[in-house]
Amino acid sequence: MKKYLSFLTMALLAVVFYSCEDVPAPYEINNNGKKSDVIFSETFASSLGKCKNYTTSGAGSWVNDFSTAKATGYDGSKTIAGTYYLVSPVIDLTDIDSAYVTYDYIIMYNKGEENQQCLINDNFDEANPSAGWTLLPQNHTYTTTKDWDTFY
């Protein structure tokens, strides 16, 4: 595993991330045999927080909506396909033996499993935000919901 994880992103189309204020804390990670607290967390309660949107194609973006982070290409009349990265600040994994990513989501209007990806980048370049990403393995299939209230 790379020692420095510069940025973590969600390149998810039409996905809503749930504000994790009521999630039991802390998640634990293995830090050289010791359990420790969360390395990075964002609630998205009123903004994208320390995360930034980078749109590399299409007209959509990540926005804060209903106390969540939401990727949307909807312009009020139609949905436009695109690629939008929600990029976290640098996360230092120097002394971390293993770590994992968790998030709650809603997916509507899913056109394919390849549209939802969680990626890492160890040398993120704001001038070229689509370069250098490595796809993290997923251990599940995303569930498409029929409403905007059911998070998975």
Side-chain angles (χ1 to χ4, degrees), residues 17-116:
F17 277 49
Y18 180 60
S19 175
C20 297
E21 293 179 76
D22 60 348
V23 174
Y27 287 116
E28 293 182 337
I29 60 170
N30 187 349
N31 182 1
N32 285 330
K34 301 175 209 148
K35 298 290 182 183
S36 62
D37 291 343
V38 174
I39 296 172
F40 176 76
S41 178
E42 187 60 64
T43 67
F44 304 113
S46 61
S47 71
L48 294 179
K50 295 178 182 176
C51 298
K52 293 181 182 178
N53 173 73
Y54 292 88
T55 297
T56 59
S57 68
S61 66
W62 281 93
V63 297
N64 182 269
D65 193 16
F66 297 99
S67 297
T68 65
K70 178 173 96 175
T72 182
Y74 186 67
D75 71 359
S77 63
K78 65 184 179 298
T79 300
I80 301 168
T83 303
Y84 333 126
Y85 295 87
L86 182 63
V87 181
S88 77
V90 172
I91 300 170
D92 183 357
L93 297 176
T94 301
D95 293 321
I96 306 299
D97 292 328
S98 64
Y100 59 92
V101 177
T102 63
Y103 52 89
D104 294 325
Y105 65 90
I106 290 177
I107 295 179
M108 300 265 300
Y109 315 115
N110 186 17
K111 300 271 184 193
E113 192 72 13
E114 68 280 1
N115 292 326
Q116 286 65 242

